[in-house]
Amino acid sequence: MAELVNVCVMLKDIEPNTLKPVIKARVNRLWSVPSMKNPLEFNSIEMVLVDSQGFKIQATILRELVNIFQSNIVEEGSYIFCDFDVDRNVGSYKPTRHAFKLLFKEGTVVKPTEPDFVVNYCVSLMTNWEIRNFKAHLDFLVDIIGVVTAISPEKDFGYGIGAKKYVSLEVECMLFDDYINVVKDYLKFCGRPRPIIVIQYARFIPLPGPVF
């Protein structure tokens, strides 16, 4: 394992032509993508990995490989990864701005390692002005900071299997499902009438007003 650590590639240098890259990174964020037909099944597991320089990259475990890796990787865990594929990072609302992403395959090696670097939450804040004046289509998720001035009652969004609960914060931001209770509990116990909060990996929707 010491040999692997010595040849680790930084995430900013990852590209399809990189010869058998080995990376050392922390799992900054991990979530499962449920199947549209059966919410109890996963279409994939998605992760955002961050290295000692603070660079981030998305990694995907497809449905047929979920059972192989699901119990071996946890959020905030640090690992050495090798023998994975590298593909272009395309699509809407990507969690990172890296040009490429990692795709796990059956032979991908995941080895736990000691977290010998501190990267905190890797927040990449963008102001409302920067977001609204971004020249290209905003196809990536953003990190924002703002003062909470009000919170709406819970409302329904959608119907059937995809139905969700949401509330609006006058930052302004819409929160769905479990995030509602996380934020409401925080606001209840923080003891400040107008708390400042940071929201990471938010989707920007170009509606009237700064809505995320």
Side-chain angles (χ1 to χ4, degrees):
M1 184 59 66
E3 291 78 6
L4 288 179
V5 175
N6 291 335
V7 297
C8 283
V9 176
M10 304 312 297
L11 295 184
K12 66 180 178 61
D13 299 321
I14 290 290
E15 58 180 34
N17 294 327
T18 307
L19 184 61
K20 295 183 178 180
V22 177
I23 61 172
K24 183 177 183 180
R26 193 189 77 183
V27 180
N28 176 244
R29 188 76 170 87
L30 182 151
W31 69 99
S32 58
V33 179
S35 168
M36 292 295 291
K37 295 182 179 180
N38 184 357
L40 299 179
E41 295 182 355
F42 297 152
N43 267 346
S44 67
I45 290 178
E46 305 292 336
M47 294 175 285
V48 175
L49 307 180
V50 59
D51 64 17
S52 60
Q53 294 183 343
F55 288 96
K56 293 180 282 190
I57 194 169
Q58 182 179 353
T60 298
I61 303 173
L62 297 176
R63 176 168 51 188
E64 58 269 23
L65 302 177
V66 166
N67 290 336
I68 297 177
F69 297 103
Q70 185 177 17
S71 60
N72 298 328
I73 303 175
V74 297
E75 193 169 272
E76 300 301 331
S78 296
Y79 304 90
I80 292 176
F81 303 90
C82 60
D83 200 10
F84 47 79
D85 290 331
V86 179
D87 199 3
R88 289 198 170 275
N89 190 18
V90 297
S92 300
Y93 309 112
K94 303 184 290 287
T96 80
R97 298 174 67 175
H98 201 295
F100 304 101
K101 67 177 181 179
L102 310 184
L103 296 176
F104 279 41
K105 53 187 182 180
E106 190 171 355
T108 297
V109 177
V110 180
K111 296 288 187 182
T113 187
E114 291 299 319
D116 57 359
F117 58 89
V118 178
V119 290
N120 297 322
Y121 293 101
C122 298
V123 176
S124 304
L125 294 175
M126 292 184 70
T127 66
N128 181 38
W129 185 91
E130 290 173 321
I131 293 171
R132 289 191 168 278
N133 289 275
F134 196 77
K135 299 301 182 183
H137 171 63
L138 200 66
D139 61 352
F140 55 89
L141 304 181
V142 299
D143 301 343
I144 62 167
I145 186 170
V147 177
V148 178
T149 58
I151 183 169
S152 75
E154 288 188 21
K155 303 175 183 178
D156 293 318
F157 181 89
Y159 302 95
I161 293 178
K164 297 176 180 292
K165 296 284 188 181
Y166 80 91
V167 298
S168 294
L169 300 179
E170 290 191 4
V171 173
E172 180 169 312
C173 173
M174 290 173 63
L175 302 174
F176 290 91
D177 298 334
D178 293 341
Y179 294 107
I180 296 175
N181 291 331
V182 170
V183 172
K184 290 178 75 173
D185 288 346
Y186 169 75
L187 296 178
K188 180 179 178 181
F189 293 106
C190 72
R192 297 180 180 180
R194 293 166 61 92
I196 298 173
I197 65 171
V198 174
I199 299 177
Q200 194 172 23
Y201 305 123
R203 173 180 171 181
F204 176 74
I205 304 173
L207 297 176
V211 180
F212 296 86

